Amino acid sequence: TVLVMTGTTALVRHTAARMEEMGIDYPATGVLHWLRSADITHISNEVPFYDECPPAVPVRTEMRFCSEPTYYQLLETVGADVIELTGNHILDWGAEPLLETLDLYRQHGLPYYGGGADIEEASRPLTLQAKGQSFTFIGCSPAGPDNVWAGEGKSGSNPCTDGWLESEIDKALQAGSIPLVTFQHLEVEDYTPHSSQRIDFLQAAGDGAQIVSGSQSHFAQTMTFVGQRFVHYGLGNLFFDQMYGQNPHEFADRHYFYDGRYISTELISMVLEDAAKP
């Protein structure tokens, strides 16, 4: 079984403007074969789809993001099988656009995790089957800020409450499923992870997560092993317009599993071009 995991997707600003000019599928043209060929393709979409989203422009004075609902087509084109919702921009336009986004995913039968309409949904892991193997996606956002966290009757991303992650990893293992943990963690513009990243990522691997992946990073970061478990602190962006410094450098991780066991990881290295297309 082949699982591809990716970093940050935000179909906004320059990326959205290029999609308007060149077509909705333009960002995928250089990496489509890598994404579509996987049995499970993971996308961390940090931005809500919103019917009243303002027109795409390359630069906005505020960091307040939303995407035109027609951009959903790009997710279908790349063969997205699971959406992560731990991102810190999912409530930029309030609760209604997020709820609209959840409806859109449900209408298309695209499962999501790491965020939701309330804390119960947001904290619920997602288990998928592929080629007779079971995978459990477990995601949370220790970095916050707390106003994007879900609560009782409040939509948002899943906070990493004490003991929750360890418990969910253990439940997955007891059920014979392979635990995959993704974090929306502290963002650092450095190849080297922050000490708080190392603590949380290594703890998750130590608790039994087979893959621990950083979805927060706009900057491709390093990776390591904990025994036979793979940890990647930050994959960088997938579809997002940051063309400065080292931010155009990106990873997609292609993980291989056989007979319930993790076999290997292929690091797919990419460079963003035209503020839209890796």
Side-chain angles (χ1 to χ4, degrees):
T1 305
V2 180
L3 162 67
V4 167
M5 301 191 74
T6 61
T8 298
T9 284
L11 306 178
V12 297
R13 292 191 314 204
H14 289 85
T15 300
R18 295 301 283 149
M19 291 169 73
E20 293 290 339
E21 296 167 0
M22 305 296 292
I24 290 174
D25 292 341
Y26 176 71
T29 51
V31 295
L32 187 58
H33 55 299
W34 285 331
L35 298 175
R36 286 194 65 89
S37 63
D39 298 298
I40 299 176
T41 299
H42 156 278
I43 300 289
S44 180
N45 186 21
E46 289 207 4
V47 176
F49 295 105
Y50 184 30
D51 274 333
E52 298 182 21
C53 191
V57 294
V59 179
R60 290 196 180 279
T61 56
E62 80 281 8
M63 294 279 285
R64 192 182 183 204
F65 295 153
C66 61
S67 294
E68 165 64 40
T70 56
Y71 296 174
Y72 179 86
Q73 176 186 313
L74 180 64
L75 301 182
E76 290 192 328
T77 297
V78 301
D81 297 294
V82 56
I83 299 295
E84 180 181 350
L85 292 175
T86 61
N88 57 9
H89 287 282
I90 60 174
L91 287 178
D92 276 7
W93 288 80
E96 284 304 315
L98 176 57
L99 296 176
E100 179 181 318
T101 302
L102 301 181
D103 284 340
L104 183 65
Y105 291 144
R106 286 192 291 264
Q107 289 167 17
H108 287 85
L110 183 56
Y112 55 84
Y113 74 101
D118 54 29
I119 187 60
E120 181 181 1
E121 183 179 52
S123 62
R124 187 184 306 144
L126 172 67
T127 298
L128 297 179
Q129 309 290 327
K131 291 185 174 177
Q133 298 187 96
S134 176
F135 300 89
T136 297
F137 291 84
I138 307 169
C140 64
S141 172
D146 58 7
N147 65 342
V148 305
W149 286 334
E152 295 296 332
K154 178 183 180 294
S155 59
S157 63
N158 179 33
C160 290
T161 53
D162 290 343
W164 173 84
L165 187 56
E166 180 182 5
S167 173
E168 294 299 341
I169 292 171
D170 186 62
K171 289 178 186 176
L173 291 170
Q174 293 299 321
S177 189
I178 298 170
L180 313 166
V181 168
T182 58
F183 283 114
Q184 184 76 205
H185 217 287
L186 184 69
E187 296 178 15
V188 291
E189 301 287 303
D190 199 335
Y191 298 119
T192 304
H194 189 270
S195 59
S196 64
Q197 283 181 275
R198 290 197 296 271
I199 290 169
D200 288 344
F201 282 59
L202 298 181
Q203 180 66 50
D207 289 338
Q210 184 59 71
I211 305 293
V212 185
S213 191
S215 302
Q216 81 292 331
S217 181
H218 303 300
F219 197 105
Q221 293 187 287
T222 54
M223 64 291 296
T224 189
F225 284 94
V226 175
Q228 299 298 313
R229 300 176 184 126
F230 182 72
V231 174
H232 196 162
Y233 292 105
L235 280 67
N237 297 313
L238 177 63
F239 302 128
F240 191 30
D241 68 357
Q242 295 178 327
M243 292 292 292
Y244 50 82
Q246 302 303 313
N247 292 69
H249 296 172
E250 310 177 355
F251 283 112
D253 291 350
R254 185 151 51 184
H255 305 294
Y256 293 85
F257 301 85
Y258 179 75
D259 195 25
R261 294 188 300 116
Y262 167 66
I263 301 300
S264 66
T265 291
E266 179 183 5
L267 300 172
I268 300 170
S269 57
M270 304 173 286
V271 176
L272 183 69
E273 296 180 347
D274 198 22
K277 184 178 71 171

